[in-house]
Amino acid sequence: MTTAGMNESTMVKDPGAAFTLLLSCPDGLPRSRVYVDFSISYDRIPHPDAKLEESINEIWTLQTEKNRSLYNGKKFRYGGHTLHHADGGDNKSSVCLHLGLTDYRTFVGTNLSPLWENFLVPSKDDSIYCQHSASPLGNGAIVKTADKRVLVLQRSLNVGEFPGYFVFPGGHSEPEEVGVLCHQMNKISKEHEALNDKISQEMFEGIVREVVEEIGVPAESLSDPIFIGISRRNLNVRPTAFFFVNCSLKSDEIQQLYSRAQDGYESTQLFDVSMEELLKMSERMPGCHRGGYALYELMIKANHGDL
């Protein structure tokens, strides 16, 4: 496992396609080796510039006036991670994700703001660099079919971010799924450990839920997700956790199910592609998903192509 590896910024013409790999786990980590530390210490730090802070409310007000359906839901905030390397014997490498709490309003007002770069702090430490940004942790899945194809969606032209771009299925894990609406400061140690475990479980259950809703496949056709790392789109500094999932269905069966997908309105078409085709499509992906492709490439190399 490695931290802060590949950075593609000058190598691509589309600034929205540039990415940084914040964490790479090419061997893949199962649920049992991905831990969570959920704490208020990983929440966003307000910016000292009062006018910049007030712009968050102003932008949200403008956006909600344009679109009354916007909902200020809670999101898990990415605040960094800790690696635990194997030291021989029966011990295996693991990762602990540092998660705080944020919301969609703050995401719109910081990461998606025209002033988003003003919220950044010059630092090589990502947790400091993005400390004033909402940075909700998205998720994405590399889904491989029974006939060795990879599933890719084309985003609708009606979505707010990157309309028409290619993406992997995904979205966000939801705090409300595990009953998290705020930080509970008086929790005893065992309760806090139990909550951390529930959130880690939601990370894995959440990506399965997204694949089911966006692609239309039944959950029982999907393998247990394997965590392969975190990429960050350089534009708007948006982080996304990626997972690898096998699907027991063939691509033609999946295409039939896609037409009835619950969240099909977010995309216009489902593609099942080879690695060569995926490489070409990655050039028309948002940076966070282009980073997901890079994580998948590293996983294939680590497994000598045997996936």
Side-chain angles (χ1 to χ4, degrees):
M1 294 188 293
T2 58
T3 297
M6 183 188 303
N7 185 324
E8 283 206 7
S9 55
T10 60
M11 299 167 64
V12 291
K13 296 179 180 178
D14 181 354
F19 67 88
T20 299
L21 297 187
L22 302 179
L23 171 63
S24 173
C25 306
D27 291 327
L29 297 180
R31 157 73 179 85
S32 60
R33 290 161 57 193
V34 178
Y35 302 91
V36 163
D37 181 17
F38 177 63
S39 169
I40 195 171
S41 61
Y42 305 125
D43 281 8
R44 171 184 173 270
I45 298 174
H47 198 282
D49 184 333
K51 288 185 178 180
L52 190 58
E53 276 295 295
E54 181 55 32
S55 72
I56 298 173
N57 290 323
E58 293 171 353
I59 289 172
W60 179 250
T61 298
L62 287 172
Q63 292 300 320
T64 52
E65 287 175 353
K66 293 178 184 177
N67 184 357
R68 297 290 182 181
S69 65
L70 287 180
Y71 170 65
N72 185 27
K74 296 293 184 181
K75 303 294 177 187
F76 289 116
R77 181 182 185 273
Y78 178 67
H81 61 268
T82 303
L83 299 178
H84 301 280
H85 292 286
D87 57 2
D90 294 328
N91 294 328
K92 294 183 178 180
S93 299
S94 62
V95 64
C96 180
L97 303 179
H98 303 163
L99 300 181
L101 198 61
T102 187
D103 55 37
Y104 190 66
R105 178 190 69 90
T106 312
F107 171 57
V108 170
T110 58
N111 294 81
L112 298 187
S113 167
L115 304 173
W116 67 274
E117 289 177 293
N118 293 1
F119 286 96
L120 302 178
V121 177
S123 175
K124 292 183 179 180
D125 184 331
D126 188 72
S127 62
I128 296 174
Y129 180 61
C130 299
Q131 66 182 9
H132 300 309
S133 300
S135 299
L137 183 60
N139 59 24
I142 314 297
V143 182
K144 195 168 188 178
T145 67
D147 50 347
K148 310 298 183 183
R149 310 285 283 180
V150 177
L151 300 181
V152 178
L153 292 164
Q154 184 166 28
R155 286 174 65 79
S156 165
L157 295 176
N158 298 321
V159 296
E161 284 190 274
F162 292 90
Y165 276 61
F166 298 116
V167 294
F168 298 109
H172 293 86
S173 290
E174 301 293 346
E176 293 180 10
E177 287 288 334
V178 289
V180 173
L181 297 177
C182 61
H183 290 285
Q184 299 293 326
M185 305 306 295
N186 58 347
K187 277 188 176 292
I188 61 175
S189 178
K190 286 186 177 180
E191 290 178 332
H192 185 64
E193 288 179 10
L195 179 60
N196 284 339
D197 190 63
K198 285 174 66 177
I199 294 172
S200 177
Q201 184 69 26
E202 165 58 16
M203 298 287 293
F204 284 75
E205 291 179 352
I207 190 58
V208 170
R209 192 166 57 246
E210 294 288 352
V211 172
V212 169
E213 292 176 356
E214 294 192 355
I215 304 297
V217 296
E220 55 268 24
S221 71
L222 301 174
S223 67
D224 291 336
I226 298 295
F227 177 71
I228 61 173
I230 297 175
S231 72
R232 185 189 67 211
R233 189 176 76 217
N234 291 352
L235 179 70
N236 308 122
V237 289
R238 185 169 188 181
T240 303
F242 276 91
F243 300 80
F244 176 76
V245 182
N246 276 307
C247 182
S248 61
L249 302 177
K250 291 185 177 180
S251 52
D252 57 348
E253 299 174 281
I254 296 170
Q255 288 288 355
Q256 293 177 14
L257 293 168
Y258 170 69
S259 63
R260 302 189 294 273
Q262 182 178 334
D263 280 353
Y265 64 90
E266 292 187 1
S267 60
T268 57
Q269 191 170 352
L270 173 67
F271 297 88
D272 52 90
V273 300
S274 65
M275 277 301 293
E276 291 78 14
E277 292 168 320
L278 184 58
L279 173 60
K280 293 178 181 178
M281 281 186 162
S282 71
E283 297 174 4
R284 182 64 176 168
M285 285 183 171
C288 40
H289 286 256
R290 199 159 182 266
Y293 169 74
L295 290 169
Y296 180 46
E297 270 195 318
L298 292 171
M299 184 182 185
I300 291 173
K301 290 176 183 178
N303 288 272
H304 307 290
D306 185 22
L307 282 177

